[in-house]
Amino acid sequence: MSNSKGECRFCNKTFSGRGIGKHLLLCRSKKEKDEMLNGRKNEGYIYHLKISAWSLYWLHIEMKGTATLLDLDDFLRGIWLECCGHLSQFTIHGVRYSSYEEQDDWWGDAPKSMNISLNDVLDFKDKFNHEYDFGTTTELSLQVVSVRKGVINEKIRMLARNNPPVFVCEKCNGIATQMCQACREDYCDECIEEHECGEDYVMPIVNSPRTGVCGYFGPFEE
Ligand SMILES: [Zn+2]
Ligand SMILES: [Zn+2]
Ligand SMILES: [Zn+2]
Ligand SMILES: [Zn+2]
């Protein structure tokens, strides 16, 4: 389970978590699409970001340089994280950018606002992280894979995503769909019914690093 695979959204070929980043920089179908968009007005910097948790979950996205960390936080919450409105923050070059505004700056180390554009805080090859929820934290690693000039229509465009990882039922070795939050074991739909901890602890297995954590039941919309 070290390296989950995923599909390039442009040519539909499958790559390993390691290979996909390099592929996206070379993919001919993507290049053709990009060239159709480029050359228009409003060219700006576009950031290719890799976002990952362990090597199991990963996303490659492109984002407008004028979009903000707040937009990125929204996106991450939507696709992977949001359960009950916990706080979150990015740490970039040792500086924290928080989802909440802090008034008091006594010690001079209060986090900054996420309402700041990528152009202002990120450079090519930067590595940074994102934490959601300071109780049962989900931590994501982010990396600027490339920065190019061009045009994309939306603030954030998905380039590739890992396929849902397959977990095995603890009891019958079938494909697990549910997890018991109490004992952290995975079960199929049938075996979970007989599991002794009871249904209060049952969580669905979803394609997210927050699977089975706090009240995470998957994204509100796919
Ligand atoms: Zn491709
Ligand atoms: Zn929660
Ligand atoms: Zn089973
Ligand atoms: Zn259990």
Side-chain angles (χ1 to χ4, degrees), residues 32-92:
E32 276 169 20
K33 203 166 180 192
D34 290 345
E35 271 159 24
M36 276 163 52
L37 290 167
N38 288 350
R40 297 189 196 170
K41 280 178 277 179
N42 307 324
E43 264 204 2
Y45 288 110
I46 296 170
Y47 288 72
H48 173 172
L49 302 179
K50 178 189 178 180
I51 307 152
S52 54
W54 316 294
S55 53
L56 203 50
Y57 301 99
W58 49 261
L59 303 165
H60 282 262
I61 62 170
E62 272 184 339
M63 204 169 157
K64 284 183 182 173
T66 52
T68 65
L69 292 179
L70 205 56
D71 295 320
L72 182 54
D73 184 65
D74 267 354
F75 171 79
L76 295 173
R77 282 170 184 261
I79 195 163
W80 264 359
L81 301 172
E82 186 68 273
C83 51
C84 17
H86 301 281
L87 301 177
S88 57
Q89 80 178 14
F90 290 97
T91 306
I92 305 173

Side-chain angles (χ1 to χ4, degrees), residues 8 11 23 27:
C8 167
C11 66
H23 167 73
C27 176

Side-chain angles (χ1 to χ4, degrees), residues 73-149:
D73 184 65
D74 267 354
F75 171 79
L76 295 173
R77 282 170 184 261
I79 195 163
W80 264 359
L81 301 172
E82 186 68 273
C83 51
C84 17
H86 301 281
L87 301 177
S88 57
Q89 80 178 14
F90 290 97
T91 306
I92 305 173
H93 297 300
V95 180
R96 294 175 299 141
Y97 299 87
S98 171
S99 63
Y100 64 101
E101 310 270 338
E102 206 163 286
Q103 313 282 321
D104 203 0
D105 198 10
W106 266 139
W107 308 100
D109 61 355
K112 296 186 173 184
S113 164
M114 279 188 189
N115 201 2
I116 188 164
S117 73
L118 298 201
N119 285 331
D120 286 336
V121 290
L122 288 179
D123 286 309
F124 176 47
K125 285 191 171 170
D126 275 355
K127 288 183 176 172
F128 57 110
N129 75 0
H130 178 269
E131 289 160 279
Y132 175 76
D133 178 6
F134 296 104
T136 45
T137 308
T138 300
E139 186 174 343
L140 308 176
S141 308
L142 295 93
Q143 189 185 341
V144 181
V145 177
S146 75
V147 183
R148 64 180 177 95
K149 270 218 139 169

